[in-house]
Amino acid sequence: IGLGHALWCHNMLHAFGMYDTAKSRYKNLVSEGKKWNKKKSYEENMKKIGGGNPMRAPDDSIDLDKVLSGHYDSKLAAKRVTEIHQLLGTLDKGLDKAERKKRGWDEAYDLRPWNEFPDTENASLSTVVLANLTRGILGNGGGPTK
């Protein structure tokens, strides 16, 4: 199973509140796990799993105590893997915005720019070229503080 991946998703969620990112990354483990056939060998199963993250999410058939026997804090790791699987392990839509906010995982800041190219209504080809050639010193200005 993808222990490191599951614990990374747990840390993303609980340290930074990155619910959507953790959910989208964890769903890769869940979807790869659906390809796993318990009747086949490890090698046969690995041939079916993609190369980007060749692991799967935990399921009830896996003994986490045995898997984590060499971990320095196996009880805490098992608790976190189980918790993250309960939170993110389904392929449904997940928690709604109200539930995320209640847990402190609401969207804090959107890093997308306001416009792809600000002040497009006053732009002309010559001012755009001039702005690009002079690295914004001359030509069309713009942006959210204009």
Side-chain angles (χ1 to χ4, degrees):
I1 63 172
L3 291 173
H5 198 85
L7 293 171
W8 171 61
C9 289
H10 182 277
N11 291 341
M12 267 196 293
L13 183 58
H14 289 284
F16 304 109
M18 298 170 66
Y19 179 81
D20 290 324
T21 304
K23 178 91 174 150
S24 69
R25 299 303 184 269
Y26 196 79
K27 81 175 183 180
N28 295 334
L29 293 181
V30 173
S31 61
E32 293 296 338
K34 292 185 181 291
K35 299 175 188 175
W36 198 268
N37 184 344
K38 294 174 186 168
K39 295 178 182 175
K40 293 187 177 182
S41 70
Y42 174 81
E43 289 77 18
E44 290 173 309
N45 278 307
M46 289 305 288
K47 288 178 185 174
K48 284 198 257 176
I49 291 182
N53 185 19
M55 297 294 162
R56 64 187 177 113
D59 60 34
D60 295 337
S61 70
I62 297 171
D63 181 10
L64 286 176
D65 291 330
K66 183 179 178 183
V67 172
L68 292 164
S69 63
H71 195 277
Y72 70 93
D73 195 347
S74 60
K75 297 284 185 213
L76 180 62
K79 178 182 169 201
R80 288 182 175 174
V81 167
T82 303
E83 177 188 359
I84 204 69
H85 188 66
Q86 289 170 349
L87 286 168
L88 306 177
T90 60
L91 293 175
D92 64 1
K93 291 183 95 173
L95 301 175
D96 62 3
K97 288 193 180 228
E99 181 62 28
R100 291 186 213 179
K101 187 171 181 111
K102 181 178 153 187
R103 293 175 184 238
W105 303 335
D106 55 334
E107 190 173 287
Y109 185 71
D110 189 351
L111 296 175
R112 292 175 289 192
W114 292 5
N115 293 330
E116 287 188 30
F117 186 82
D119 200 17
T120 54
E121 63 273 359
N122 297 322
S124 68
L125 180 59
S126 61
T127 57
V128 171
V129 170
L130 187 59
N132 282 301
L133 289 175
T134 62
R135 297 184 184 200
I137 296 170
L138 301 173
N140 231 27
T145 58
K146 181 179 180 191

